[in-house]
Structures are given as structure tokens and as C-alpha cells.
Amino acid sequence: MTDVFGAPVSRNTLLRLIASLPDPPVTAAHVVGVDEYAQRKGRVYGTALVDGETRRPIDLLPDREAATLAAWLAERPGIEIVCRDRAPFFAEGATRGAPQAIQIADRWHLWHNLGEAAEKCVYRHRSCLRPAPAPPDEPPEEAELPASSPWPTGHRFAERTRAKHAAIHTLLKAGHSKRSVARQLGMTLNTILRFCRAATPEELFTGQWQSRATELDAYKPCLDLRRQEGCTNAWKLWEEIGEQGYPDGYGNVRNYVSRTLRGKPQPVGPRPPSARAVTRWLLTHPDALVESHRIQLKAVLANCPELDVLAKHVRTFAHMVTDLQGDQLPEWIQSARAATGLPSLSRFAHHLERDLDAVVAGLSQPWNSGVVEGHVNRIKMLKRQMFGRAGFELLRKRVLLAQ
């Protein structure tokens, strides 16, 4: 625009003029939303403050420390409500800076945290997701399993050995001497003699690395069982046995899954639903589920009493969120902590007790932090527009002035 107007001014001068503009006048806020935003994702975070009534940003703070937020709130004694998530630094800052204000925990974060706890509970009972097979009418006849080669077809060492064995025996049958075969193939005489004594290439499948014990041997039964349950993700299997004490890396598990487990027959019957899918069904309103998902969920809950209890707790919490029935939360917490076989749900209920007043207010008051989340997304857009020049002072001016 300055080029069009013919004004000789540099970019740095324009940025300096923007940074020197006065802050816009802000009326006294009674409802304030507080949330964090990333100045440098994973390293540096700041605090965004938004007026819950006018839905306009009030200020940006350079960090997310409790002392900084407390000092900002202490300068504004008219604040009556503070909407926040359950981060401890925001809770402490609001308590110290605005002791007269009602703190409200955001309902979206509460529902999101419940979903994470529910998924852990479902994954803990993943064996219940596959229906028990019906007993056969007649006992199956035991079939003799063919002797399998120590090296499967397609293994690079196996194919190389088979090719050498075939070439050596072909030349010998053609009338060549062992020394002549050694010269033609570029091998030592001892190697030719060893291949001659082996009638089949499988007799040569020996070595100090062949069939030796590994750290994975103790966990192979668990991997085989999980494969029969329908889990084919090598990374997920590695994480599972890692929790059981497996000390080695991901590569050994990946090789075992790709070379051994995937060559075995697939489990009979339809593939069971994943833990994430069942969690999604639990968190969805029953009237919004399609018929097939409703039937699958009903079968899963009938097959596992613990997940049936989990579903009842999730639905009760959903009614509290949608109908603003926060007075029922203490009773729900006691029931959730007493549930057996659902440790993740019990931990979630225990964490709610630490911030009980704010959670009860969040489930009772109509205010929430949705408007703050919208401005945090807007800050991300401004940072992308400004690239590396988006220092805190310039970013703060852009957020407060660009309305």
C-alpha cells in the first residue's frame, strides 16, 4: 500500500509504528476466559485472555505462569467469573489473583478427558471385544502338520542357500569334478564338499545365529494371542510387550510380525471392533448411532460386565454435561471410584475431586471456554502470516488491534 501511495517507508518502520500504537480501550470485564497459546510449540507458551460477554480479546501475557496471571487479575477486581481448563497454573493464578471470582472448568476438556479414560478402560478389556466362538458340533480331526523349514520361503539366506545347492548338484550331475565346480562358482573346496554331503538344502540351515534364544521368545505367546484377537499393528504390539518388560527395540517385533505371524492363518470370524471404535460408540448419543454400530456395541456390553458399567457412567456424565446437572457430580465420582476393573475411570474421578468446585461450576453454569479456543486458533493464523517476525509485542498488537 505504501508503494501505491508513493510513501517511501521501510518494512521495519511500519512494524515499529504498529508496535507503538496504543492499546484499544477495553471495558471492565466480568467474565474472563483464560487459555494458553503456543509462541513456539512445545517450548514457549503464553496466555490469552478473552472477555466472555463481548467475545473480544482483552490481553496477551508472555507466559503461562501462575504469578503472571494472578498479577493481571489482581489489577481488575471486577472480574466475577473465570473460565479455564484444569491446568494447575491457571487454577493457582485465578485463586491468588481473583479469590472473589467463580472458577469454571471447561466442559469440552472434561468430556475429552473422560473419552481418554474410557478408551484406556476399553483397551484393558479388549479380549471381550471378540465374541466367544460357538462350540463345534463334532470334534475336528487332528491333521498332521507338515514339517516346516527353519527358514521360510522368501527368506534371503534360505533362497541363496537353495540356489547354491541346486547349482552345485546340477554341475556334479553333468560330470564336473568338485574342484571344477569350485573354480566355476568361485567357492572353496570345503564349501563344495559341505553342499555335496547335503541331500536337501534344509540340511544346511544351521549356524550359531539359527534358532538361538532371544529376548522376544518369552513374549511370543502374547504376540500370537494378540494376533488371534485381530491386532496386526506391530508398533502397538511392541508398546504392549514393552509395558510387560520387553527391553529391546521395535525392529525385532516388526520382523517377527511380518515374517512369522502374517504367514499364519487369519482368525476365523469377523474382525472385532477396535478399542477406539468402541470408545467412539460409547461417547456418541445412542440415537445418533447407526444400526450396525448399535448392534455391535450391544454385543460388546453383553459380553463384558465391566464395559457395561463404563457405558452407564459415560451416559450419566453426558447427561450432566448437556443438562447442566453439576449437583450430581459428587455422587457420580463416588460411584466411578467404586467401579471394579476400571482403574482409568477411577483415576479420572479422583482428578475431578482435586478441582471439584470448578468442575461442579462448569457442569452447572452456561459459561465455557469455547470463545477462547477460537481466538487461540486465530493467533495461530496470525503467527503463520507473520512468520519469524511474530515477536510477542507485535503479536499482541495484531491480536488486540485487528478486530
Side-chain angles (χ1 to χ4, degrees), residues 260-326:
T260 306
L261 292 187
R262 288 179 182 169
K264 295 183 178 181
Q266 296 286 339
V268 179
R271 186 174 180 177
S274 64
R276 179 164 295 183
V278 175
T279 305
R280 184 175 65 252
W281 299 340
L282 291 175
L283 298 178
T284 304
H285 194 281
D287 296 338
L289 285 174
V290 298
E291 186 64 23
S292 60
H293 293 169
R294 188 181 300 110
I295 294 174
Q296 287 181 283
L297 178 60
K298 184 177 180 180
V300 168
L301 299 183
N303 197 34
C304 184
E306 290 82 3
L307 294 185
D308 187 43
V309 174
L310 174 65
K312 294 178 181 178
H313 282 88
V314 170
R315 289 165 186 164
T316 304
F317 196 89
H319 286 300
M320 289 191 294
V321 171
T322 55
D323 300 337
L324 298 181
Q325 299 174 349

Side-chain angles (χ1 to χ4, degrees), residues 30-106:
H30 302 286
V31 181
V32 175
V34 182
D35 202 357
E36 63 184 9
Y37 70 93
Q39 297 182 25
R40 190 175 182 186
K41 188 174 181 180
R43 300 187 181 183
V44 182
Y45 286 87
T47 302
L49 298 114
V50 179
D51 190 331
E53 295 176 317
T54 63
R55 308 178 72 86
R56 296 172 63 91
I58 304 175
D59 204 349
L60 291 187
L61 303 181
D63 55 48
R64 56 179 180 181
E65 300 295 330
T68 306
L69 177 61
W72 189 92
L73 293 174
E75 297 175 356
R76 296 159 178 82
I79 295 177
E80 301 174 358
I81 294 177
V82 177
C83 300
R84 58 171 178 82
D85 57 22
R86 293 189 297 133
F89 38 84
F90 288 152
E92 180 183 355
T95 302
R96 289 163 51 185
Q100 78 286 351
I102 300 175
Q103 299 183 35
I104 296 180
D106 186 51

Side-chain angles (χ1 to χ4, degrees), residues 229-250:
E229 293 175 355
C231 182
T232 59
N233 190 317
W235 186 272
K236 190 69 175 178
L237 294 174
W238 173 64
E239 290 181 338
E240 291 179 10
I241 63 176
E243 295 176 356
Q244 301 175 15
Y246 177 65
D248 286 351
Y250 163 70

Side-chain angles (χ1 to χ4, degrees), residues 168 171-172 176-193:
I168 291 173
L171 292 175
L172 290 175
H176 296 271
S177 65
K178 296 181 178 63
R179 292 185 181 276
S180 174
V181 174
R183 286 193 301 269
Q184 294 182 52
L185 299 180
M187 301 179 183
T188 63
L189 182 59
N190 289 335
T191 301
I192 299 300
L193 294 175

Side-chain angles (χ1 to χ4, degrees), residues 124-142:
R124 181 183 179 89
H125 297 277
R126 59 186 180 274
S127 59
C128 301
L129 304 184
R130 175 178 291 277
D137 298 335
E138 297 180 359
E141 298 180 359
E142 296 183 359

